[in-house]
Amino acid sequence: MPVFALLVISKAGSLIYHRTLPTSTSASTSSSGSQPATGTLGLPGTTSLTTNDYLVLAGTFHGVHAITKNVTPKFLANSASSSDHPPAPTTNGVTGKASSFRYPIPDAPVTGIESLESSFFKLTVFQSLTGTKFLLFTDPSMPNTDGLIRGIYDRFADHVCKNPFWHIDNPIRLDGWERALNQFLFRR
Amino acid sequence: MAVPPSFSTAMYSSPSYSHDSRPSSSSTPSFAGAGLRLPSNRKTIYDRNLNRSRNAELSRASFAFLFMEMVTYAQKKIKSVSDFEKKLNEQGYPLGMKLLDLLLYRASPAGSSSSSSTPAARPLRILPLLTLINNKLYPLLFSRPADSLEQDTSDPSKYMIIDNTPLTNTYISIPKEMSQLSVAAFIAGIIEGLCDGAGFQCKVSAHNQGTDVWPNRTVFLVAFDEQVMERERELDRQGIK
């Protein structure tokens, strides 16, 4: 199974769920011992991560995500538009300054970091509309991680958001969610 | 001229009904101010045909969110798990009462679209009642019959309706400190309301009996009162089905 781990980070930046999945590669290395051990996050040396480490990781990622959201490159739109037609009289002062930049893809919302790839693992990030972030650590060769993380989000919406015994931004300890995740991640 | 309150309240118990309206006019009574909100065409939900929603389906997600709020509401000021289940049961009870009438109306020639000649009778014996729950109430609520219907081997007054995937439990997992709770008590309340409405006094409770294949499998235990069993024996002696 090339999925290594799943982390869910609340809007406030705290870790509300983390789950590491047993990888077949790490199971084989423990028996043979020839290959370097695949860590729980796909990275060597991450096998010994404690719950506290995951909390730190989640908090750090939350900050990094907020930064990447702000450093999304922008184009200076003023020069391109002024060559086509004369600048509109409203493009002066503060409002003009703000509208003189545009994003590479104007229709897409600015999301921040979406995926991170290395030779050891691939991190796919999905942020829901309410600000909950889903982090999926997979094997770099894993195809269609976007579809996978969408499926996880579907199950989150069903078994966590529709559960009266879960309160928002609290840690998720629900049998139904675990069951749905197991079914989704192992039987597809 | 004002209507004596005893006459007006007999039909319109809503306080929003204005007593100043003329009683001679047989048109739609005027509702004053807040209370019952009227759409612009003056047609309330009570003016609609009862068969209008016959084949209508409701979004599963919207029910899940609504039911979630109902559970949260029932959770307020409870002392024990049985208290919790009682509150959920009470929320379902009036629904079952009304569903009995609706089911019988739709089964009758006046209410059914297909022309059946025999009018639907209210169930007199326990078995037709349970068949009504299994084959009519369940498809109306959940678009499928219940999974199994059993009688307790030791106690003839107890019946079990078994549902492998109750809709209320689909998205709800019970925390460990309330492991005895089953939110399907709401469905048990519906069943109890229907049975009581049909004249079969009983207590219905929901019990979680999850298996590996069906983790939400729920048993609804229907325990009929002694008077119902007595009547059942008498009807059996007279040979009334």
Side-chain angles (χ1 to χ4, degrees), chain B residues 20-194:
Chain B
D20 301 333
S21 66
R22 284 191 299 273
S24 56
S25 67
S26 59
S27 61
T28 323
S30 63
F31 294 90
L36 191 61
R37 280 198 292 173
L38 280 174
S40 54
N41 61 359
R42 314 285 296 166
K43 293 265 185 186
T44 62
I45 191 171
Y46 303 110
D47 295 313
R48 285 188 198 155
N49 191 315
L50 272 176
N51 278 333
R52 189 185 144 112
S53 58
R54 191 186 181 88
N55 296 316
E57 299 214 331
L58 188 71
S59 151
R60 185 177 270 255
S62 55
F63 173 77
F65 279 119
L66 178 68
F67 188 68
M68 178 180 123
E69 289 306 319
M70 287 165 65
V71 172
T72 312
Y73 181 76
Q75 205 175 358
K76 287 176 184 165
K77 292 185 219 161
I78 50 151
K79 290 184 185 72
S80 62
V81 168
S82 58
D83 224 17
F84 200 153
E85 289 195 331
K86 189 162 165 274
K87 282 205 170 190
L88 284 171
N89 191 297
E90 282 166 1
Q91 287 185 351
Y93 189 89
L95 193 59
M97 279 272 193
K98 288 169 186 167
L99 281 174
L100 173 70
D101 282 335
L102 183 65
L103 285 171
L104 293 173
Y105 168 75
R106 284 189 181 163
S108 71
S112 71
S113 49
S114 59
S115 55
S116 58
S117 52
T118 50
R122 295 171 85 89
L124 299 177
R125 300 284 303 269
I126 285 176
L127 213 55
L129 176 79
L130 293 172
T131 321
L132 178 82
I133 292 170
N134 197 30
N135 297 346
K136 289 280 191 293
L137 176 75
Y138 248 77
L140 175 71
L141 293 176
F142 310 118
S143 307
R144 61 178 171 86
D147 291 299
S148 178
L149 191 61
E150 289 169 19
Q151 185 174 20
D152 196 313
T153 44
S154 56
D155 188 347
S157 73
K158 284 182 179 160
Y159 289 83
M160 288 173 284
I161 301 165
I162 294 161
D163 190 342
N164 287 339
T165 51
L167 182 64
T168 49
N169 297 31
T170 315
Y171 302 125
I172 295 180
S173 3
I174 306 298
K176 282 190 183 64
E177 64 267 23
M178 283 193 251
S179 56
Q180 288 301 306
L181 173 76
S182 174
V183 286
F186 177 69
I187 301 177
I190 298 177
I191 296 172
E192 190 174 325
L194 189 140

Side-chain angles (χ1 to χ4, degrees), chain A residues 22-161:
Chain A
T23 50
S24 56
T25 46
S26 65
S28 65
T29 49
S30 60
S31 56
S32 63
S34 57
Q35 297 167 261
T38 314
T40 40
L41 298 183
L43 203 64
T46 51
T47 317
S48 57
L49 285 181
T50 60
T51 310
N52 206 25
D53 292 331
Y54 282 107
L55 287 169
V56 172
L57 185 68
T60 311
F61 184 84
H62 185 70
V64 171
H65 188 268
I67 293 166
T68 54
K69 199 168 177 173
N70 277 306
V71 296
T72 306
K74 295 174 206 169
F75 292 146
L76 198 60
N78 229 3
S79 57
S81 60
S82 60
S83 61
D84 292 327
H85 51 85
T90 50
T91 54
N92 53 3
V94 183
T95 51
K97 202 175 179 183
S99 64
S100 62
F101 290 100
R102 65 182 175 84
Y103 291 106
I105 311 161
D107 299 332
V110 185
T111 54
I113 193 164
E114 281 178 0
S115 77
L116 181 73
E117 276 186 68
S118 80
S119 50
F120 296 107
F121 69 94
K122 179 181 177 186
L123 167 65
T124 313
V125 182
F126 174 77
Q127 186 172 22
S128 76
L129 287 173
T130 48
T132 310
K133 283 187 279 292
F134 295 81
L135 274 62
L136 189 69
F137 292 83
T138 55
D139 194 87
S141 61
M142 179 97 178
N144 192 26
T145 47
D146 284 332
L148 194 64
I149 208 158
R150 280 273 171 179
I152 292 170
Y153 177 52
D154 281 354
R155 273 136 194 94
F156 176 83
D158 272 353
H159 292 93
V160 180
C161 292

